[in-house]
Amino acid sequence: MLETLFVVLVGLAGGIAVGLQSPLAGALGQRIGPAASSTIVHLGGLLLSALLVLHRGGERIGEWHSAPWYMLASGFLGVALFLTINVTLPRLGAAAMIALIIVGQLLTGVFIDTQGWLGVPVRPLDLYRLAGILLLLAGGWLLVK
C-alpha cells in the first residue's frame, strides 16, 4: 500500500512538472522563439540528465547503440511537443494547452495498450475505457471552448 502511494505521488509530481514546464517553455518561446526555447529547455535537460548519469555510475549508457532507432528518435518528439506548446499556449491559454496535451497522451496510451506496442501488455478496449475516452474528449472540448 505504501509503495502504491509513493508511485501515485511520483506520478502526480510528474504531472505538476509538466503543468509548470509547458507554460514556462511556451512563455520563453514567445519571448525568444519556439526553436530557441526548445534548445534551451533541452540543453537544461541534457545537463541535468548527464549529472544524474554520472551520479549513478554511468548506468548502461554504453549500450545505447543496441536500442531500436525509434527509441533513439524519441527526442524529436520532445521538440515537436515544444513547438506545439508555442502554437497553442498564446491562442488557447495554459489550461486548454495542457488539456489537449493530456488528451493526446491518454489517447495514444490507450491505442498503444490495445495494440500491445512497445512491449506493453495488451489491454483491450472495454466499456469502462471507452467511457473514459468519451469523458476525456468531453473534458478537453470543454476546456478549449
Side-chain angles (χ1 to χ4, degrees), residues 109-124 129:
V110 168
F111 187 74
I112 289 170
D113 282 350
T114 60
Q115 303 302 309
W117 286 1
L118 307 174
V120 303
V122 174
R123 292 199 57 198
R129 295 185 107 203

Side-chain angles (χ1 to χ4, degrees), residues 1-110:
M1 176 66 177
L2 196 55
E3 182 180 343
T4 301
L5 177 62
F6 174 74
V7 171
V8 167
L9 291 174
V10 167
L12 289 172
I16 291 168
V18 170
L20 290 172
Q21 182 196 36
S22 297
L24 287 171
L28 182 61
Q30 294 302 304
R31 182 171 290 208
I32 67 171
S37 169
S38 178
T39 300
I40 288 172
V41 167
H42 285 92
L43 282 174
L46 172 65
L47 292 173
L48 180 57
S49 294
L51 289 173
L52 287 171
V53 168
L54 287 173
H55 177 72
R56 294 177 177 189
E59 294 183 342
R60 293 181 305 278
I61 197 164
E63 299 173 24
W64 70 269
H65 53 80
S66 65
W69 68 268
Y70 55 86
M71 289 180 183
L72 297 175
S74 63
F76 295 135
L77 298 173
V79 174
L81 170 62
F82 279 91
L83 296 177
T84 299
I85 288 168
N86 281 279
V87 169
T88 56
L89 179 69
R91 292 166 179 84
L92 301 176
M97 173 205 59
I98 291 170
L100 291 171
I101 290 169
I102 291 170
V103 168
Q105 287 176 323
L106 291 173
L107 290 176
T108 301
V110 168

